[in-house]
Amino acid sequence: MEDEQKRTRYEIHLRGFLSDALIGAFPELRARRGPHETVLVGELADQAALHGAIGRVEALGLELLEVRRVDRRKG
Amino acid sequence: MGVIERHQPADPAPTAALAPRPRATIRTMGALDRTSVVRPPSLVARPALFERLSAGLDAGVTLLSAPAGSGKTVLLRSWIEAEGLGERAAWVSVERDERNPQHFWRSAVDALSGTHLDGSLENVVAAPQFDGAVAIERLVAALGSLDESVLLVIDDLHELRSPEALTQLETLLDRRPQQLAVMLSTRHDPAIGLHRYRLSGELTELRASDLRFQRDDARQLLSAAGIDLPATALDALVARTEGWAAGLRLAALSLAGRADAERFVAEFSGSERTVADYLMAEVLQRQPEPVRGLLLRTSILERVNGPLADRLVGAPGSERILLELEDAGAFVVSIDPDRVWFRYHQMFADLLRLELRRSEPDSIPNLHRAAAEWFEAHDFPTEAIRHAQAAGDWQYAGELIGQYGFSLALDGGFATMRALLEPFPADAFANPELAAFLAYGEVIRPSLDTAASYIALAERHASEVPEERRQRFDAMLATARLTLARWRGDYAAAVSEVPPLLAPSEALRAGDIRLGNDLRAVALMSLGIVELWAGAGDDAEQHLREGAELARRVGRPYVEQGCLAHLALAVGRHSITAGRALAAEALEIIDKYGWQSEPITPLVLATIGLVDAMQGRLAEAAPNLDRALELLRPDAEPAKEILVRYARGVHLLGQARLADASAAFADTLRLQASLIDPDPLEIAARALEAQTLARLGDLEGARAALATGPREESEYAETRVATAAIHLAEQNATAATAALGPVLADSSPAIIHDFALIQARLLDALARDALGDARAAEDDLERALDLAEREGLIVLFLITPVRDLLERHPRHRTAHAALLDAILDVQAGAAPQPRDRDDAGPIEELTESEIRVLRYLPSNLSAPEIASEVFLSTSTVKTHMRHIYEKLGVHKRTEAVERARDLGLLAPAHRSRH
């Protein structure tokens, strides 16, 4: 089980170059925009927050390439 | 030139949207979800997919699972139109983030009611306390009885976030009658077990790859929009959008009227931006300002119509724009046959909102606020509340809840209300109107301490409520207090809440009359219940009757049954038969609306069971009493549980199951401890507990039980009867008669008057008999029979050991031979015949003297002998007999007796017994 107290850092890889308006849908994350791929990066409180973000990816018709947990520090 | 100018206005009757609509009832969103007429935008015939959908219709369950913008909705609508299925198709669009199962099923039933299904199911889904299992059961039954088949389409199923509702949907699929086909459209696979249908071949699946537009589909779509692309550009466009329907539609909008179509496709293909993002920007940029403004500013709405859009954009002409957008297949789709209301495609709405947030972030709260005001002015309180909340205007949202919350709760259920209350931040609860409503909600849940603190809060801030809403607020607060008092058993304090409730409703604004009536009916119910439990039965009867009538008049069956259920008890004080009839009326409403799991049901069942037990129908009483106990919730209102347990005790006592009866009465008494004021049944229960213990031989325990009551209780008829029973058990007949004296002289207060008095007569008969005064014993017994005859109170003859006396009772001298037989029958284990049969055809009512004579007809007394018994002349008795024969339509004495038994005018004949 995830420890809900510890925020975890995630990367969400999306296909394509996202406009400012689209990035505005993820205020809790920062965006690294590449030509073919946009990576949303940031700390999320828990799994529910992650699913919330992925839900927005789905709602906006964006293509999800990869989700990765990048912070594996032990708390 | 934008897309809008190219399309002809489709509907030349814009007045339809502006015409005033009836405002008789409060509407919720559910009422408009029905979409029987669908207008697919710029149809693309996709024969291969249509064929698969038609096959799915035959197979049973179809799943369309593909990402946003894949064209699921348009495909389904086009197919329904192409196949002419409009009349048979019920279309439900799940609302955004739907968490309320009741609201979901209400939409489904609304939609189905537009097909062949009649409206009877609406009752079940409109209950304030919704029972999903019952609703599904009824739905399955109703669909199973149809002559024709029905298609239920559930669009945007991914928005259904209620696990309960999904489970219920699974049940519906499992038990799906053959008349029902279901199509589910969703962005991701739903969490319901579809694999079984996949295995059994009942499931048809269309997924993203199936829905993808091929070259020919795309060409058709574009040419419908008047666009003709060269083959290479067409291929490039299909490749760039990957056949994604939304992308192609946006491209079509963007390409319309462009001279440089190929260049557009080339630039688009060269861009790395996401398809929707790129094309939305293109499309928006090409719209004239009024269209652009409307798209952005109305994107905050779940649904929009012309006047509402006018309000948000601050200019007229929106309706025309909406109609043209739909005709162009752009962004919106109408959701009612008259094309008054429109809904955005969800993905487009999301994209538009993001653009609004980017370009004019400061306008958003004002837009929500304007929407809230518009919805309030047009009687859509639910949406008004949601938008006031979205605007962050908690003061306004709180006022709206205070004003409409009550009726909304009655309309659409407490779950809806709770969902509306959830977003309020903690400090918003200082709003007194909101607090008063919350207090009521908390009591229902119930969390009594929280309720009490909301009540205190509302009281503290009461002066902030503006004058015009003050009366309503007072009534709401009083109702909350009364309801809290009910749960705490703090009755005396609660009755002081009466004055504001009885204020005349004329003072309300005209538009408030319905709201006022709702509140008034609930207030009368709450008041009546408290009065009932406080022992003020006459006041209770008056207020509950008034409440039941008002509730029926304004169409609030939930309140009506609540009033009837308690009125049954109030009326039962003087006529248990009439009380039972009222409880049966309440039960009828409960059954009709599927409210079996309501907290009130145990009370109603216990009332019916108690009367049945009292009238000796012990076998008939058993299932109702068992069920009452089963349905009793741990957090039930104490007075309710007391009645249920008391009724059980009487029933057990009637069967001579003394130890069990004693336990039931002990439970009743234990519950009393949680009440601030004593419940009237406490005295009756204690008395029966003492009697039961005495019969079990535990005289010490019996005395101890009586001694736990307060001193003044010893004067009550019930207590005196119990004392007499103990004396009799001790063989002290003289002391027994002394204890009974005041009861027989009718100078003791009684909880259940006849009940106590009859038993007093029976015990006195036993005592007199023991003292050797047979004549006095006989006289007592005859008087007991007199009292018991009216309501058939047979049980008292079972719980008092008078069988011997009854068998010795001289049959030729009694006016109650039939009742006597019935009692002996029940003692022998038989069921008495029903006394109230209303199926026996109309007859002219017998007069009182005729009935007196009728009672002697089963005996073997001759007319002169009857005459001497009833102190009349022989010829008068003969006249009465002739009238009786005429009215009953018979010619002989034996026929008269038989007919009178059928009609319940006489107790049934006694059958052979040992």
Side-chain angles (χ1 to χ4, degrees):
Chain A
M1 291 298 278
E2 286 295 317
D3 179 356
E4 301 224 331
Q5 299 306 308
K6 196 186 71 185
R7 298 173 68 85
T8 311
R9 193 174 176 81
Y10 288 99
E11 281 183 8
I12 300 174
H13 295 244
L14 303 172
R15 182 159 154 202
F17 181 93
L18 270 61
S19 68
D20 289 347
L22 278 178
I23 287 181
F26 304 93
E28 75 276 38
L29 300 169
R30 281 177 301 106
R32 279 204 313 260
R33 280 181 279 197
H36 307 293
E37 184 179 304
T38 299
V39 185
L40 302 171
V41 190
E43 290 189 344
L44 293 173
D46 52 22
Q47 285 281 306
L50 177 63
H51 282 291
I54 293 172
R56 271 168 280 155
V57 169
E58 179 192 271
L60 295 167
L62 300 171
E63 189 174 337
L64 184 62
L65 297 176
E66 186 181 2
V67 179
R68 191 191 296 169
R69 197 171 109 165
V70 290
D71 189 348
R72 295 200 151 271
R73 278 176 307 173
K74 297 277 188 286
Chain B
M1 191 170 80
V3 58
I4 298 315
E5 293 97 294
R6 284 192 334 95
H7 286 270
Q8 299 200 331
D11 190 337
T15 46
L18 302 168
R21 281 163 293 109
R23 295 180 55 175
T25 57
I26 291 182
R27 277 171 298 246
T28 57
M29 286 189 77
L32 268 165
D33 282 348
R34 178 187 304 177
T35 318
S36 49
V37 174
V38 291
R39 297 177 53 96
S42 38
L43 275 175
V44 177
R46 306 182 75 182
L49 293 178
F50 283 8
E51 231 166 79
R52 291 179 62 185
L53 287 174
S54 294
L57 183 65
D58 297 334
V61 183
T62 305
L63 175 69
L64 281 82
S65 187
S70 298
K72 303 179 288 291
T73 305
V74 173
L75 173 68
L76 280 169
R77 292 192 167 192
S78 318
W79 169 71
I80 287 171
E81 177 148 305
E83 298 292 319
L85 293 169
E87 294 284 297
R88 287 167 51 194
W91 186 286
V92 183
S93 294
V94 181
E95 269 178 35
R96 195 182 280 264
D97 200 21
E98 177 67 88
R99 288 167 197 277
N100 179 347
Q102 177 176 17
H103 186 257
F104 169 70
W105 287 111
R106 200 173 175 170
S107 309
V109 167
D110 270 352
L112 284 163
S113 304
T115 63
H116 303 293
L117 205 64
D118 68 18
S120 63
L121 276 169
E122 282 171 32
N123 295 336
V124 177
V125 288
Q129 300 256 8
F130 170 73
D131 187 328
V134 172
I136 299 300
E137 196 179 300
R138 300 264 181 113
L139 185 56
V140 168
L143 290 167
S145 67
L146 293 179
D147 295 331
E148 296 176 70
S149 59
V150 165
L151 168 65
L152 175 63
V153 180
I154 301 177
D155 195 18
D156 290 334
L157 179 62
H158 57 271
E159 293 289 351
L160 188 57
R161 308 282 158 88
S162 154
E164 260 175 283
L166 284 167
T167 307
Q168 287 150 4
L169 177 59
E170 203 166 17
T171 311
L172 177 65
L173 293 179
D174 268 351
R175 301 186 41 205
R176 174 175 46 88
Q178 60 176 17
Q179 289 93 332
L180 176 69
V182 181
M183 296 200 167
L184 308 171
S185 163
T186 172
R187 287 178 185 169
H188 53 243
D189 290 352
I192 52 181
L194 292 172
H195 54 278
R196 281 166 296 174
Y197 308 116
R198 198 173 284 136
L199 290 176
S200 64
E202 288 167 90
L203 182 69
T204 305
E205 270 182 286
L206 274 73
R207 309 194 65 90
S209 58
D210 303 307
L211 293 172
R212 205 159 279 155
F213 276 61
Q214 305 301 325
R215 192 175 189 228
D216 286 347
D217 303 323
R219 176 183 316 175
Q220 214 189 327
L221 182 141
L222 291 174
S223 62
I227 299 155
D228 213 0
L229 278 185
T232 48
L234 181 64
D235 286 343
L237 187 61
V238 173
R240 175 67 173 95
T241 57
E242 296 177 359
W244 187 47
L248 287 165
R249 259 178 218 291
L250 285 170
L253 291 173
S254 201
L255 280 164
R258 265 189 208 261
D260 54 348
E262 282 173 79
R263 200 177 127 206
F264 169 81
V265 174
E267 277 175 10
F268 175 36
S269 299
S271 159
E272 279 299 336
R273 286 171 62 189
T274 64
V275 174
D277 196 16
Y278 183 94
L279 292 173
M280 273 300 271
E282 284 291 319
V283 172
L284 275 181
Q285 194 194 329
R286 289 170 58 79
Q287 297 309 315
E289 190 44 41
V291 178
R292 202 184 114 84
L294 178 140
L295 287 171
L296 290 177
R297 304 185 125 226
T298 61
S299 69
I300 61 153
L301 302 167
E302 290 300 318
R303 58 179 177 140
V304 58
N305 67 14
L308 173 56
D310 285 350
R311 174 76 184 266
L312 294 198
V313 300
S318 300
E319 182 179 36
R320 173 67 46 92
I321 297 176
L322 288 167
L323 288 166
E324 289 171 352
L325 281 171
E326 185 183 25
D327 290 333
F331 309 115
V332 299
V333 57
S334 55
I335 53 176
D336 59 342
D338 300 329
R339 301 181 76 201
V340 171
W341 285 99
F342 298 84
R343 165 201 302 281
Y344 279 95
H345 183 290
Q346 284 190 1
M347 187 190 64
F348 292 144
D350 285 335
L351 291 166
L352 288 168
R353 275 179 219 184
L354 286 175
E355 180 56 26
L356 176 69
R357 204 148 82 191
R358 196 190 60 82
S359 56
E360 24 179 331
D362 300 338
S363 70
I364 295 175
N366 295 334
L367 290 172
H368 278 298
R369 162 106 207 178
E373 284 167 358
W374 189 93
F375 278 120
E376 187 199 356
H378 292 81
D379 275 348
F380 295 102
T382 314
E383 284 153 296
I385 292 165
R386 283 189 188 144
H387 283 290
Q389 290 173 333
D393 192 341
W394 304 110
Q395 175 65 29
Y396 181 29
E399 283 169 22
L400 287 170
I401 294 258
Q403 199 169 351
Y404 297 99
F406 215 77
S407 297
L408 279 177
L410 291 175
D411 266 345
F414 297 122
T416 309
M417 278 323 303
R418 282 199 276 275
L420 283 176
L421 290 173
E422 222 159 74
F424 281 97
D427 56 359
F429 296 147
N431 177 334
E433 289 163 280
L434 181 57
F437 181 77
L438 279 168
Y440 183 68
E442 290 295 333
V443 173
I444 285 173
R445 236 183 267 186
S447 160
L448 303 189
D449 292 337
T450 319
S453 60
Y454 281 132
I455 288 174
L457 209 151
E459 282 168 344
R460 251 195 332 273
H461 295 272
S463 60
E464 296 163 21
V465 178
E467 194 51 44
E468 72 269 19
R469 295 204 299 271
R470 187 54 197 253
Q471 190 187 5
R472 187 166 179 77
F473 167 77
D474 286 344
M476 170 80 77
L477 186 56
T479 304
R481 285 189 192 132
L482 281 166
T483 313
L484 177 64
R486 270 167 62 191
W487 255 266
R488 289 194 161 159
D490 188 5
Y491 307 125
V495 177
S496 66
E497 306 302 336
V498 177
L501 294 178
L502 296 182
S505 54
E506 290 83 346
L508 294 166
R509 281 189 292 137
D512 273 355
I513 285 177
R514 181 178 162 85
L515 298 179
N517 280 337
D518 282 348
L519 185 52
R520 194 172 146 76
V522 174
L524 283 165
M525 173 176 78
S526 309
L527 176 59
I529 293 171
V530 168
E531 287 165 340
L532 176 70
W533 298 147
D538 292 341
D539 293 340
E541 195 175 328
Q542 183 200 328
H543 290 133
L544 290 169
R545 202 178 286 284
E546 223 177 294
E549 275 161 17
L550 180 60
R552 181 175 314 165
R553 195 149 47 76
V554 299
R556 290 297 190 194
Y558 188 72
V559 181
E560 187 188 345
Q561 55 103 17
C563 288
L564 285 173
H566 292 92
L567 183 60
L569 294 174
V571 167
R573 291 173 310 136
H574 42 82
S575 167
I576 58 169
T577 310
R580 189 194 190 279
L582 287 162
E585 250 182 83
L587 190 61
E588 214 171 280
I589 297 177
I590 289 171
D591 283 341
K592 176 172 171 195
Y593 291 87
W595 289 335
Q596 286 83 354
S597 55
E598 278 294 270
I600 194 120
T601 310
L603 182 76
V604 174
L605 291 171
T607 307
I608 294 173
L610 179 59
V611 174
D612 285 344
M614 284 176 160
Q615 297 184 331
R617 293 182 297 274
L618 297 174
E620 205 174 310
N624 282 333
L625 291 174
D626 286 348
R627 192 148 160 67
L629 194 66
E630 236 169 71
L631 289 173
L632 207 55
R633 302 204 296 213
D635 59 354
E637 187 182 355
K640 216 172 272 172
E641 185 170 354
I642 286 170
L643 186 86
V644 171
R645 303 219 176 255
Y646 176 81
R648 258 185 103 65
V650 171
H651 185 239
L652 291 163
L653 202 53
Q655 301 166 74
R657 288 169 58 187
L658 300 179
D660 294 339
S662 169
F665 293 127
D667 282 342
T668 313
L669 293 169
R670 182 180 43 74
L671 284 162
Q672 305 282 354
S674 65
L675 303 183
I676 292 170
D677 292 339
D679 185 281
L681 274 182
E682 177 173 359
I683 298 172
R686 199 183 340 270
L688 283 182
E689 166 76 340
Q691 280 196 52
T692 311
L693 289 172
R695 283 186 63 191
L696 282 165
D698 180 4
L699 297 177
E700 209 172 302
R703 285 192 186 285
L706 282 186
T708 55
R711 176 171 294 277
E712 62 273 19
E713 199 175 298
S714 60
E715 282 310 308
Y716 271 83
E718 278 82 359
T719 312
R720 288 186 165 276
V721 164
T723 309
I726 295 170
H727 287 314
L728 277 175
E730 291 168 336
Q731 315 287 337
N732 188 347
T734 317
T737 55
L740 292 170
V743 184
L744 300 182
D746 215 355
S747 63
S748 301
I751 304 300
I752 311 174
H753 187 265
D754 281 5
F755 210 71
L757 204 55
I758 293 169
Q759 230 203 335
R761 282 287 165 203
L762 294 178
L763 290 172
D764 200 58
L766 285 170
R768 300 291 172 192
D769 192 55
L771 294 169
D773 188 348
R775 187 73 209 189
E778 192 184 303
D779 184 49
D780 270 333
L781 199 54
E782 187 65 13
R783 286 193 193 209
L785 288 166
D786 272 344
L787 287 165
E789 175 84 49
R790 186 171 63 98
E791 301 241 40
L793 276 168
I794 286 179
V795 80
L796 294 160
F797 297 82
L798 308 181
I799 69 179
T800 322
V802 289
R803 186 164 174 178
D804 246 19
L805 285 182
L806 287 172
E807 285 182 348
R808 280 191 273 138
H809 198 58
R811 317 188 75 69
H812 61 278
R813 275 211 303 270
T814 179
H816 306 285
L819 178 66
L820 195 55
D821 287 345
I823 294 167
L824 291 168
D825 268 354
V826 175
Q827 279 177 342
Q833 294 293 311
R835 293 174 60 81
D836 303 310
R837 302 244 299 244
D838 48 12
D839 56 345
I843 61 151
E844 198 185 331
E845 224 171 278
L846 300 183
T847 65
E848 211 165 293
S849 358
E850 285 162 1
I851 285 178
R852 280 175 67 206
V853 171
L854 176 70
R855 292 215 179 103
Y856 287 90
L857 295 188
S859 70
N860 51 12
L861 298 187
S862 63
E865 284 170 320
I866 294 174
S868 75
E869 286 292 325
V870 295
F871 306 104
L872 292 172
S873 72
T874 305
S875 71
T876 307
V877 166
K878 284 185 169 164
T879 310
H880 284 324
M881 285 169 74
R882 205 173 58 244
H883 287 159
I884 292 169
Y885 294 178
E886 274 169 18
K887 287 179 180 176
L888 296 178
V890 297
H891 306 288
K892 287 194 301 199
R893 186 161 163 176
T894 49
E895 288 171 359
V897 170
E898 202 175 312
R899 180 91 180 109
R901 282 187 172 136
D902 282 350
L903 291 169
L905 296 171
L906 282 175
H910 83 276
R911 287 166 293 277
S912 62
R913 53 173 190 275
H914 312 285

